[in-house]
Amino acid sequence: MQFIWDGIKQAVHLIFHGDSTVFGILGVTLHVALVSTALAVAIGLPLGIALTRRPRLAKPVLGAASVIQTVPSLALFGFLIPLPLLGGIGARTAVTALVVYALLPILRNTYAGITSVDPATVEAATGLGMTRGERLRLVELPLALPVVLAGVRIAAVVSVGLAAIAAAIGAGGLGVLIYRGIATVDNRLILAGALPAALLALAVDGALGWLERRESSWRTS
């Protein structure tokens, strides 16, 4: 345990006094994670809504997304590299892979949130003369929003964690320090990459958790 504590102290010193590039590559990791999460929301939210309108497709689509989720991240990076448009070496492949991993919780929670809305509430909205679009926008989505936000929260944390691994395909980020530390057997470098990645994941989770609580208080006020 002593060597771990010594490594943490050395890593903290390196972050704040030694390697000024840590904050730069921290920004790269955050950028890749945020872009992939935003794209996953843009894809998963409409697709989840569409599945609630086509229940027969829900099981195979969610099943396929679950199967893809089981593919190891490094293997998925390897599969994507040869692709002409989405692949290659660099951040583009990393974003593509992270979108795939972030898609399942958003897709599943969107579908579950909307289908869990009380049917009596939906019938009441229909009785008021709302169209399907109005009912979705004014009734179903607002009631499903806490569940949807929980899926986005999971997806964002997963993206931050996996963004570090993307350094293996030249995407940069905190994984550069981790891989460099492994290659040189330097605990300072490993922890200098791992600690900011963990803190970043906690910060993203905390920020989205705060947003969930604010949204809940707005609805109940």
Side-chain angles (χ1 to χ4, degrees):
M1 294 297 294
Q2 183 61 38
F3 86 92
I4 296 178
W5 176 244
D6 291 340
I8 292 175
K9 290 192 293 184
Q10 291 175 341
V12 171
H13 183 272
L14 178 65
I15 292 171
F16 291 102
H17 302 287
D19 194 344
S20 61
T21 63
V22 172
F23 293 101
I25 60 180
L26 176 63
V28 172
T29 299
L30 181 60
H31 178 262
V32 170
L34 291 180
V35 169
S36 59
T37 303
L39 290 174
V41 171
I43 298 170
L45 185 60
L47 184 56
I49 294 172
L51 292 180
T52 63
R53 276 40 182 171
R54 298 288 188 274
R56 292 183 179 179
L57 297 177
K59 187 174 181 179
V61 171
L62 292 174
S66 299
V67 170
I68 294 175
Q69 192 85 0
T70 64
V71 177
S73 54
L74 287 177
L76 184 59
F77 289 147
F79 292 147
L80 291 175
I81 286 175
L83 297 182
L85 295 178
L86 300 177
I89 299 296
R92 182 172 55 186
T93 300
V95 169
T96 302
L98 294 184
V99 167
V100 171
Y101 281 112
L103 194 59
L104 177 61
I106 297 173
L107 184 61
R108 179 184 291 164
N109 281 39
T110 301
Y111 177 80
I114 294 178
T115 55
S116 64
V117 174
D118 189 352
T121 303
V122 177
E123 289 180 9
T126 304
L128 291 173
M130 290 186 182
T131 64
R132 293 185 65 180
E134 291 173 337
R135 192 175 64 217
L136 173 67
R137 188 176 69 256
L138 300 176
V139 177
E140 293 174 295
L141 276 179
L143 293 176
L145 190 56
V147 181
V148 175
L149 285 178
V152 174
R153 185 177 177 180
I154 295 171
V157 174
V158 169
S159 295
V160 172
L162 291 178
I165 304 176
I169 56 170
L174 293 168
V176 172
L177 293 178
I178 297 174
Y179 286 117
R180 191 188 303 168
I182 293 173
T184 59
V185 197
D186 189 340
N187 288 334
R188 294 188 310 157
L189 288 176
I190 295 174
L191 291 172
L195 282 179
L199 293 175
L200 182 60
L202 290 174
V204 170
D205 183 63
L208 292 176
W210 175 84
L211 183 61
E212 280 188 66
R213 292 190 295 272
R214 292 291 294 176
E215 186 276 332
S216 178
S217 65
W218 290 334
R219 288 193 303 111
T220 56
S221 61

